[in-house]
């Protein structure tokens, strides 16, 4: 018998993900009960300004981490792509379940695919990574900022304020809104965010019982992909002010392939490198990061910190 208090943001996606994790854990541990502790983060209150200006995506996560550290809750479910590479001291990502669809998805107002959008069409995204890759594929499109919850973003494209928007397929399918998707973007040429489609379940490192249970529930392949992608992000010292993408997957032979991408935050120019190896996932992340740095990724990273 134990009651697990689960901290969750109040957004529909956060609550859906939290409830999914609770159902999974409840099935494994009928002797546990679960209680949701809803948290309103500062990040949820300032959705109209560019997040990178107010402290970045890490904002959502660090306030939840404070709740875990203060022992006001025992566990928290994050979209891994929102989790900065450094966790708060004393906390661990103990549970990483099977990855959902890692791809980005295009939702267009009138059903046109990315290649069919007329020149000058307005595409909504506030992600530097999505903007950089869109610009490279379709320099003739106009990219405009788009923030807010998934449902408000979908409403704005439905109303025609944007010709199209880009969202993570995983978030849409967790909400049951896959039918809104016009086109799945090929992850080989529109590279997903590090951790996209992966959930990370965080708890206190000293909570042995929870750490163990979450460890048994973890999908090892997903955890390997997460490790490769997050090592890439760490070694690039990636902040949300630089367009960075990273996508790991296992091929038929069982080898892990990692594609890394960094773009100039101040204009055209990008670097991409891909490696495959059987060595440990972090080593693969490291190889891809160090190769990108040798080829000049540092210039892009510095351009961001200077302005
Ligand atoms: N940036 C916010 C965010 N964080 C996680 C998801 C979707 C779910 C996921 O990628 O796991 C989203 C929405 C989106 O990018 O479309």
């Amino acid at each position: 018998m134990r009651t697990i208090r689960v901290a969750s943001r109040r957004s529909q996606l956060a609550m859906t993900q939290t409830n999914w994790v609770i159902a999974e854990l409840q099935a494994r541990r009928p002797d546990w009960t679960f209680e949701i502790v809803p948290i309103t983060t500062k990040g949820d209150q300032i959705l109209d300004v560019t997040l990178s200006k107010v402290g970045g995506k890490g904002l959502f996560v660090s306030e939840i981490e404070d709740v875990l550290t203060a022992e006001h809750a025992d566990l928290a479910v994050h979209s891994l792509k929102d989790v900065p590479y450094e966790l708060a001291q004393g906390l661990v990502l103990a549970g990483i379940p099977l990855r959902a669809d890692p791809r980005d998805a295009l939702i267009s107002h009138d059903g046109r695919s990315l290649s069919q959008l007329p020149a000058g069409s307005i595409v909504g995204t506030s992600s530097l990574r999505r903007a950089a890759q869109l610009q490279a594929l379709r320099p003739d499109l106009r990219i405009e900022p788009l923030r807010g919850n998934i449902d408000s973003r979908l409403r704005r494209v439905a109303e025609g304020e944007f010709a199209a928007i880009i969202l993570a397929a995983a978030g849409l399918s967790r909400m049951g809104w896959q039918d809104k998707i016009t086109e799945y973007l090929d992850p080989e040429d529109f590279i997903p965010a590090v951790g996209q489609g992966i959930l990370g379940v965080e708890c206190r490192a000293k909570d042995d019982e929870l750490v163990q249970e979450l460890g048994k529930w973890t999908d090892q392949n997903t955890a390997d992909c997460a490790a490769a992608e997050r090592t890439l992000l760490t070694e690039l010292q990636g902040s949300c002010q630089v367009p960075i993408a990273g996508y790991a997957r296992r091929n038929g032979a069982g080898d892990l392939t990692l594609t890394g991408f960094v773009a100039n935050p101040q204009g055209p120019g990008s670097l991409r490198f891909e490696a495959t190896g059987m060595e440990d996932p972090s080593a693969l992340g490291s190889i891809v990061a160090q190769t990108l740095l040798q080829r000049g990724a540092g210039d892009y990273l510095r351009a961001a910190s200077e302005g």
Side-chain angles (χ1 to χ4, degrees), residues 13 79 81-82 130 167-168 170-171 174 196-198:
L13 180 63
S79 293
K81 81 167 173 183
D82 299 334
R130 287 172 180 150
L167 291 170
R174 289 192 188 115
Q196 187 156 299
I198 302 179

Side-chain angles (χ1 to χ4, degrees), residues 181-246:
I181 295 173
T182 309
E183 181 186 14
Y184 288 90
L185 303 176
D186 184 346
E188 307 278 338
D189 58 47
F190 202 93
I191 306 159
V194 163
Q196 187 156 299
I198 302 179
L199 296 181
V201 180
E202 192 177 23
C203 68
R204 287 180 293 280
K206 65 179 186 193
D207 189 337
D208 294 332
E209 191 185 27
L210 207 43
V211 168
Q212 242 186 48
E213 195 61 47
L214 291 169
K216 285 189 275 171
W217 174 63
T218 289
D219 177 74
Q220 194 51 51
N221 180 41
T222 301
D224 288 349
C225 292
E229 293 170 11
R230 285 174 64 77
T231 302
L232 169 76
L233 187 67
T234 307
E235 295 202 10
L236 291 176
Q237 300 261 311
S239 75
C240 47
Q241 284 147 40
V242 196
I244 291 179

Side-chain angles (χ1 to χ4, degrees), residues 9 13 17 57 60 78-82 100-102 104 127 129-130 147 150 153 166-172 174 193 195-199:
R9 289 170 56 198
L13 180 63
Q17 293 180 162
K57 300 198 274 191
F60 299 119
H78 306 288
S79 293
L80 193 65
K81 81 167 173 183
D82 299 334
D101 195 327
D104 280 305
S127 149
R129 173 188 65 84
R130 287 172 180 150
R147 290 216 166 274
I150 300 182
R153 298 192 207 186
I166 297 180
L167 291 170
L172 290 164
R174 289 192 188 115
Q196 187 156 299
I198 302 179
L199 296 181

